[in-house]
Amino acid sequence: LSVGRDQIVLDVAAIRYNHLYKKGIKDLIVLNDDWVDRKKGDILICASGSGNTKQTVDYALQAINSKMNLIGITSFENSKIGLAAKGYDNGLLLIVPGREDNVSRYNEVAKKTFVPYFEIALYITLDALLAEIADKNGITEKDMKKAHKDKFLQ
């Protein structure tokens, strides 16, 4: 979970992760947008370029309090997300380069041309992780296409 551009990247990646399917293998990844359904043992992926966006930090802390597994993704190891993920027994911190400073820019009007380096690197990282999960579980592109929902013209 995240906010702003980071959440858009996570939403796009979630569509791909929903296709991780192979007959005979129990669901590997279940995505649920309803935060109230969280439970112990679930995995929460939190992404924040700065690592200090309040809403994202709040999600990470709630995950810890709920005894969920936490994957924190940020450009800064010593940010709030970074410290939460690496200081938690069920946490994993992934450092993804891209942000130049660790100040949250959520809801701030851009003052200059902005290139979303972190968000681009985040998507590439999440897609590479998906490919690794698929490979380790023998899931092929053909298997993933079976989980794909066709869109029909109306």
Side-chain angles (χ1 to χ4, degrees):
L1 292 171
S2 193
V3 294
R5 290 178 302 270
D6 298 341
Q7 183 60 46
I8 293 168
V9 173
L10 289 175
D11 287 344
V12 170
I15 292 167
R16 298 247 316 131
Y17 276 74
N18 269 324
H19 298 141
L20 283 174
Y21 169 80
K22 185 170 185 175
K23 190 172 182 171
I25 296 179
K26 186 177 162 97
D27 290 337
L28 297 172
I29 296 185
V30 176
L31 298 166
N32 188 340
D33 292 334
D34 195 346
W35 183 241
V36 298
D37 290 338
R38 71 189 183 278
K39 62 187 179 306
K40 180 180 177 179
D42 284 351
I43 299 171
L44 175 69
I45 298 175
C46 283
S48 168
S50 69
N52 292 315
T53 302
K54 182 183 180 337
Q55 295 92 324
T56 308
V57 171
D58 288 346
Y59 280 127
L61 296 176
Q62 288 179 38
I64 291 169
N65 289 336
S66 299
K67 307 246 185 292
M68 295 171 69
N69 299 299
L70 171 65
I71 299 173
I73 306 174
T74 182
S75 289
F76 299 97
E77 182 176 355
N78 291 318
S79 64
K80 291 176 182 177
I81 293 281
L83 294 172
K86 73 179 186 178
Y88 176 51
D89 288 342
N90 294 323
L92 172 68
L93 174 62
L94 296 177
I95 301 297
V96 173
R99 279 299 296 272
E100 296 174 359
D101 59 30
N102 66 347
V103 176
S104 176
R105 302 283 181 221
Y106 183 63
N107 280 339
E108 184 178 285
V109 176
K111 296 180 174 96
K112 61 179 182 174
T113 302
F114 177 78
V115 179
Y117 295 117
F118 173 76
E119 289 79 4
I120 293 166
L122 173 62
Y123 184 78
I124 292 168
T125 300
L126 292 171
D127 212 51
L129 181 59
L130 176 133
E132 185 70 18
I133 292 169
D135 183 60
K136 295 281 185 205
N137 289 281
I139 299 171
T140 65
E141 191 69 26
K142 188 176 179 180
D143 295 323
M144 291 178 73
K145 283 182 180 180
K146 289 178 184 173
H148 199 276
K149 293 178 184 167
D150 290 331
K151 288 191 175 188
F152 298 98
L153 296 176
Q154 297 183 24

